[in-house]
Amino acid sequence: DVKVTQSSRYLVKRTGEKVFLECVQDMDHENMFWYRQDPGLGLRLIYFSYDVKMKEKGDIPEGYSVSREKKERFSLILESASTNQTSMYLCASNLLRGYEQYFGPGTRLTVT
Amino acid sequence: AQSVTQPDIHITVSEGASLELRCNYSYGATPYLFWYVQSPGQGLQLLLKYFSGDTLVQGIKGFEAEFKRSQSSFNLRKPSVHWSDAAEYFCAVGAQGGKLIFGQGTELSVKP
């Protein structure tokens, strides 16, 4: 079975802190994705990566950056957390030419 | 541009009743279509997918969906709902590069 894991299920941070969200997949997938989920807005793509050190902006990249140093790991970075970044963050992965995405359990981030 | 619309934000059905969740998409070519389910506090799980062929697709947990090109729809159905089906349901269409475009989601409540 494909497994996508995220480093934390719940996280509470203060405004201005630097926040790292980690995602690891074990199926050798080329593509990895970071989404933000808010009520009534569905899933919005923040960034995605199609290879090591390669990344592309999604629909809402402002305030976020990403890092992919190894194929299995994709990190989302909030350089200076703000209260409007309080949300559920979901990581996913799939094959380079595949569409079915496999999701991690999510990280619920609260910024106070 | 591709888009997905789920017209119903919240639906309540009685246990044992039938269910239909609506999904409309906008896409130029033959779409790759998906339904995902998200239980409270969890990541997304794939229910079913349509790539080509038979327009009625069967998924897990007794769900099915029908692709209707003329109506640009991919509605999800289940003949008899169980209390454990209470969750949020997302419809998605495949986009370039293995990305998915998600609808806003439909929250399903089940009355005993």
Side-chain angles (χ1 to χ4, degrees):
Chain A
D1 275 354
V2 175
K3 190 146 184 164
V4 180
T5 57
Q6 295 184 228
S7 51
S8 304
R9 294 297 303 273
Y10 300 93
L11 209 52
V12 180
K13 295 292 182 181
R14 295 199 179 276
T15 301
E17 279 193 83
K18 190 169 186 174
V19 181
F20 292 86
L21 303 183
E22 302 283 333
C23 175
V24 178
Q25 51 94 3
D26 67 357
M27 281 301 291
D28 204 36
H29 285 167
E30 291 87 359
N31 294 339
M32 296 188 75
F33 306 83
W34 274 107
Y35 294 92
R36 173 177 171 156
Q37 182 182 12
D38 299 288
L41 297 178
L43 276 71
R44 294 180 291 168
L45 182 63
I46 304 172
Y47 268 97
F48 77 101
S49 168
Y50 51 91
D51 201 352
V52 174
K53 297 190 187 296
M54 306 302 286
K55 62 186 179 186
E56 282 194 23
K57 294 179 180 179
D59 301 316
I60 52 164
E62 297 77 19
Y64 304 95
S65 62
V66 290
S67 171
R68 193 166 180 200
E69 297 296 320
K70 293 186 177 181
K71 190 175 185 180
E72 67 271 19
R73 188 179 298 269
F74 191 35
S75 302
L76 180 70
I77 304 154
L78 288 66
E79 295 289 344
S80 177
S82 64
T83 54
N84 63 13
Q85 293 178 309
T86 291
S87 187
M88 173 74 123
Y89 290 88
L90 292 164
C91 175
S93 71
N94 68 1
L95 293 168
L96 187 63
R97 289 183 173 78
Y99 283 98
E100 178 179 346
Q101 291 184 12
Y102 297 84
F103 282 82
T107 296
R108 184 163 296 281
L109 172 67
T110 301
V111 182
T112 61
Chain B
Q2 300 106 324
S3 65
V4 176
T5 302
Q6 294 179 246
D8 304 306
I9 296 172
H10 189 208
I11 284 182
T12 300
V13 300
S14 297
E15 191 167 16
S18 63
L19 171 70
E20 182 169 30
L21 301 183
R22 296 183 291 163
C23 173
N24 293 98
Y25 67 88
S26 171
Y27 191 75
T30 300
Y32 293 170
L33 295 162
F34 305 82
W35 275 100
Y36 283 85
V37 61
Q38 184 182 34
S39 298
Q42 303 297 316
L44 275 66
Q45 180 185 19
L46 182 70
L47 280 176
L48 47 79
K49 59 190 175 187
Y50 172 78
F51 283 4
S52 65
D54 193 347
T55 56
L56 185 64
V57 293
Q58 303 296 321
I60 62 172
K61 306 186 182 191
F63 285 91
E64 67 178 26
E66 187 171 12
F67 170 57
K68 292 186 177 180
R69 184 188 301 276
S70 62
Q71 298 177 19
S72 297
S73 69
F74 189 55
N75 294 349
L76 182 71
R77 301 194 294 247
K78 187 169 185 178
S80 178
V81 169
H82 187 262
W83 64 266
S84 60
D85 293 323
E88 189 154 21
Y89 292 80
F90 291 94
C91 181
V93 64
Q96 189 178 12
K99 290 183 279 187
L100 293 176
I101 308 297
F102 286 88
Q104 301 91 324
T106 297
E107 185 176 354
L108 173 66
S109 297
V110 181
K111 289 190 301 186

